[in-house]
Amino acid sequence: LMTNEWTDGLGSTIIRTANNNTSDDKQYITFDGPIDAIWIENMNTVLDDNRTLCLPNGERIKLDGATLRMIFEVEDCAVASP
């Protein structure tokens, strides 16, 4: 049944969980796979100085810049734009 209600996917669930961790330990989220131009465009606000994940439902998750880092491991950047 499609209700068009937002539910967190894998990425937003992992990011939300890591961001809510109150430990002072460094945390790294690794994305491993090909870069898709549309997918990476949605990550722009996370990757810039704002460090804010903007979800399609309008929710914004401000990431903890002191403890949370993201790593993108890709084979190549053939479809990525500068």
Side-chain angles (χ1 to χ4, degrees):
L1 179 66
M2 261 183 93
T3 62
N4 292 327
E5 291 183 33
W6 170 261
T7 55
D8 274 345
L10 183 61
S12 56
T13 298
I14 291 170
I15 292 169
R16 187 187 308 279
T17 301
N19 199 52
N20 289 337
N21 187 340
T22 58
S23 167
D24 287 335
D25 294 337
K26 299 269 188 215
Q27 300 177 84
Y28 298 89
I29 299 172
T30 304
F31 293 92
D32 183 9
I35 291 179
D36 176 81
I38 295 171
W39 176 80
I40 203 67
E41 180 70 28
N42 292 330
M43 297 294 284
N44 272 346
T45 57
V46 174
L47 301 175
D48 69 12
D49 292 339
N50 292 325
R51 293 184 176 269
T52 303
L53 176 63
C54 300
L55 300 175
N57 66 349
E59 181 182 359
R60 297 174 181 269
I61 302 173
K62 180 74 173 160
L63 303 183
D64 182 350
T67 60
L68 186 57
R69 296 287 188 265
M70 292 186 185
I71 299 170
F72 295 87
E73 184 177 335
V74 299
E75 184 174 323
D76 62 53
C77 295
V79 297
S81 63

